[in-house]
Amino acid sequence: MKVTKLYITIISLLCMGSLPMLAQIDGTTKPKPSGSSFGITPSTTGTSIISPKPKPEAERSSAPLREEKTIDMTKNYGFVKPKFDVKPNLSTGGETEMKEEYKRGKYFGDFRSKTKFIKIMCRDHEAVDGDKIRIIINDKIIENSVYLNNGFSVFYYELAPGFNNIEFLALNQGESGPNTAEFAVQDEFGNTIMSNIWNLATGAKASLIIVKE
């Protein structure tokens, strides 16, 4: 009977001694959870042991290196604005009362010459005020509108055999009438066939005839 109790006591002590050992073995053989880092401890500082790749060139900021300036077209930058104050003279006659002789026109006579062509020169011999004339030869317009300056305007014309009727028609009277001019007609050698002046009202004519022999 005593032997049986002793045996039970020994077995109990052995069982009580083996419990811590089983617990230690159980703790060391516990399976690792899924998603293991294979021994690499995750960082808790927010940094990485792998350097990040640089961004492609297209993803970098496209801001220009310097700010582009725009030009305000409505702003005055100091340039001088050209001023054009030229007013055309559209007057068709001075307001001064015209003498009857200016309205009748002027005939300077007829002349004979063997020249092949003539040289016609005309200018305003008084104040340049916008006088204009038309040159007509044998009812054909040679110069439609000639502005009379203080320098001579020069025109050449080949004469037809026989009569050549040369007319100067006053297109206006400028700013102060009448239409005034000095003119000369020369042959091909520079000899003056005739020269004179006229004073014409608008629409009047100064004329001469050259007969080519």
Side-chain angles (χ1 to χ4, degrees):
M1 192 67 172
K2 289 181 181 181
V3 175
T4 302
K5 287 182 180 181
L6 180 59
Y7 180 75
I8 293 172
T9 300
I10 291 172
I11 293 174
S12 297
L13 290 173
L14 290 175
C15 290
M16 291 177 64
S18 63
L19 286 176
M21 186 177 297
L22 291 175
Q24 184 177 1
I25 295 174
D26 182 70
T28 57
T29 57
K30 185 177 181 180
K32 295 180 180 181
S34 60
S36 172
S37 58
F38 299 98
I40 300 176
T41 303
S43 173
T44 58
T45 60
T47 60
S48 174
I49 62 174
I50 302 175
S51 299
K53 293 183 180 179
K55 292 183 178 180
E57 192 68 25
E59 295 182 6
R60 294 183 180 179
S61 174
S62 59
L65 296 179
R66 60 186 178 90
E67 182 180 357
E68 296 292 338
K69 294 182 179 180
T70 57
I71 299 176
D72 185 359
M73 301 302 292
T74 63
K75 183 179 179 180
N76 183 2
Y77 289 92
F79 295 105
V80 178
K81 183 178 181 181
K83 180 179 180 181
F84 300 94
D85 196 20
V86 179
K87 297 181 180 179
N89 176 25
L90 302 178
S91 172
T92 57
E95 296 180 359
T96 306
E97 184 178 353
M98 290 294 102
K99 295 180 180 181
E100 286 300 319
E101 61 178 304
Y102 298 162
K103 297 177 182 179
R104 288 195 300 266
K106 182 71 174 180
Y107 178 66
F108 293 103
D110 55 278
F111 306 85
R112 293 180 179 271
S113 178
K114 295 182 179 180
T115 186
K116 296 179 181 179
F117 63 87
I118 57 173
K119 177 182 179 180
I120 299 175
M121 301 179 293
C122 53
R123 72 182 184 97
D124 193 335
H125 67 290
E126 295 188 2
V128 177
D129 58 351
D131 290 341
K132 294 180 181 181
I133 62 168
R134 178 175 296 158
I135 301 176
I136 305 169
I137 300 180
N138 292 337
D139 297 325
K140 180 181 179 181
I141 296 176
I142 304 303
E143 295 293 333
N144 186 56
S145 181
V146 179
Y147 183 90
L148 297 177
N149 287 300
N150 55 7
F152 280 105
S153 297
V154 180
F155 308 96
Y156 294 88
Y157 178 74
E158 185 176 354
L159 294 177
F163 284 84
N164 293 271
N165 183 31
I166 304 169
E167 298 175 299
F168 303 92
L169 171 65
L171 297 177
N172 66 355
Q173 296 172 176
E175 294 180 355
S176 59
N179 185 303
T180 56
E182 176 186 7
F183 76 100
V185 179
Q186 297 179 343
D187 64 14
E188 60 184 303
F189 305 106
N191 301 314
T192 300
I193 297 174
M194 75 93 53
S195 64
N196 213 314
I197 63 172
W198 71 62
N199 295 279
L200 300 174
T202 301
K205 294 178 181 179
S207 63
L208 68 148
I209 293 175
I210 298 178
V211 180
K212 181 181 179 181
E213 297 178 336

